[in-house]
Amino acid sequence: MKTKHLILSATAMVVLALTSCKQNAGNSNESGINMVASGEPELAEITGAPHVPAPIGNRGPKKLIVNLETTEMEGIIADSIPYTFWTFNHTVPGSFIRIRVGDEVTLNLKNDAKSVLPHNIDLHAVTGPGGGAAATTSAPGKESSFTFKALNPGLYVYHCAAPPVPMHIGNGMYGLILVEPAGGLPKVDKEYYIMQGDFYTKASVIKKGLLEFDNDKAVAETPDYVLFNGKKGSLLGANMLEAKVGETVRLFVGNGGPNLTSSFHVIGEIFDNVYIEGGSLISHNIQTTMIPAGGATIVEFKCEVSGEFVIVDHSLSRAFNKGAIGKLKVTGDANPKVFNATSSVKE
């Protein structure tokens, strides 16, 4: 049998933590509304995919500052093909933000002077009008800010909500923000950040060989590419995720959309724990989990066997024809009690 007692014990801890938050909240959604953030404001650590900031641990609520910049820039979408991406902090997906329930966050959004259009940010973790979108709408070269209190633990999408919204998201303007519960998440050995997006392209009229957003394809929901972390091959070859036999892995997985639902699956693994839609409900022993556009999930599993494990959207034409494929390389000793590839063929 697969050894799960350690990770299930950890799961029980986080369920108790999340349940405790709800029980202590009274009529509010979570106890974050009653928590007092202490100290002088600190700059929050943020990272680019597939990396995530260090776990929050057992600290109290703080006052944090998050700085993001929106840029319109050329990047490689597949092979050597350039595309005009719109980004948060120059990457698709945008930087991973990690805070805890009760934190008070001042978010500063600067729109690069070279941008053509205004941009803003709608964080699904924010309780307030537009998730902060109206408060942060910034013309090229301008900067806006607002402050919010993290009330609900969970994994949340953020994205640009400037009109036309599908175009901004379709060009890559999305990312994840994790709000940890009081006491933090259970400890694991490896954590990674993966975000899926669907891309609709056509030849640019401005520059030969360059691709840009195609609104007609987006309306018809017929993407040319469905990608992890904004680029074909972003999790393949030298970019494969890595773990060792015996380690537990936690994947923070988001779906920027703008249209498609993801059927997230790791071939040859079973998710010991799935935090359904990034919230407090945890299911066990899951093969494939659905992630809606504008949604997220957390999956955890213990690496029992060495080898290369393929990560896909199990709507498989997206994986093998449109790019939604990656790998996790697990190194270590063989484990024939769990998987034995040796066989004999009898005549």
Side-chain angles (χ1 to χ4, degrees), residues 11-290:
T11 300
M13 292 170 59
V14 76
V15 169
L16 288 173
L18 292 168
T19 303
S20 176
C21 283
K22 290 185 179 292
Q23 290 175 343
N24 294 333
N27 293 325
S28 64
N29 290 330
E30 288 293 346
S31 60
I33 197 169
N34 300 316
M35 295 180 180
V36 178
S38 61
E40 293 297 315
E42 300 178 14
L43 193 63
E45 180 189 1
I46 57 179
T47 61
H51 306 293
V52 298
I56 295 297
N58 194 26
R59 69 161 174 82
K62 288 184 176 182
K63 297 177 181 179
L64 297 173
I65 299 171
V66 173
N67 295 322
L68 296 177
E69 182 179 20
T70 57
T71 57
E72 301 169 12
M73 54 183 282
E74 284 188 27
I76 301 301
I77 191 168
D79 305 314
S80 59
I81 303 171
Y83 179 85
T84 301
F85 292 99
W86 296 355
T87 78
F88 290 99
N89 283 2
H90 314 285
T91 64
V92 179
S95 299
F96 192 99
I97 304 168
R98 191 169 196 162
I99 60 176
R100 63 147 281 168
V101 67
D103 282 348
E104 294 179 11
V105 180
T106 297
L107 191 142
N108 301 313
L109 186 74
K110 179 181 179 181
N111 190 1
D112 183 72
K114 296 179 182 178
S115 295
V116 175
L117 294 178
H119 297 295
N120 62 26
I121 187 168
D122 168 5
L123 300 105
H124 292 185
V126 168
T127 301
T136 55
T137 298
S138 302
K142 302 299 182 179
E143 182 174 346
S144 303
S145 67
F146 79 107
T147 299
F148 69 92
K149 191 162 191 174
L151 302 183
N152 301 73
L155 181 66
Y156 300 95
V157 168
Y158 66 81
H159 60 85
C160 185
V165 180
M167 182 179 187
H168 288 249
I169 296 176
N171 279 325
M173 297 195 77
Y174 45 73
L176 290 179
I177 175 170
L178 172 67
V179 183
E180 292 200 29
L185 291 172
K187 183 179 179 181
V188 295
D189 298 295
K190 296 288 174 59
E191 294 182 323
Y192 293 109
Y193 171 24
I194 301 174
M195 199 156 188
Q196 183 171 317
D198 28 294
F199 290 85
Y200 307 82
T201 69
K202 64 181 179 181
S204 171
V205 297
I206 299 173
K207 182 178 178 180
K208 185 177 180 180
L210 178 68
L211 296 181
E212 61 184 26
F213 179 79
D214 187 318
N215 187 67
D216 291 337
K217 289 181 181 178
V219 171
E221 300 187 10
T222 53
D224 299 287
Y225 300 98
V226 183
L227 302 175
F228 294 140
N229 294 352
K231 182 182 179 182
K232 184 179 180 181
S234 66
L235 300 177
L236 294 174
N239 300 316
M240 281 190 287
L241 306 182
E242 296 182 349
K244 297 178 181 178
V245 171
E247 290 185 329
T248 52
V249 173
R250 175 181 291 138
L251 302 179
F252 299 104
V253 190
N255 182 9
N259 294 318
L260 302 184
T261 295
S262 174
S263 301
F264 187 76
H265 178 78
V266 178
I267 299 173
E269 263 297 350
I270 299 166
F271 302 141
D272 298 319
N273 306 312
V274 173
Y275 298 63
I276 302 298
E277 296 186 9
S280 58
L281 179 64
I282 301 176
S283 290
H284 309 295
N285 307 323
I286 302 300
Q287 58 191 312
T288 301
T289 189
M290 303 291 286

Side-chain angles (χ1 to χ4, degrees), residues 320-333:
F320 295 102
N321 299 96
K322 298 191 176 184
I325 189 168
K327 285 186 178 182
L328 168 70
K329 183 177 181 179
V330 180
T331 57
D333 295 334

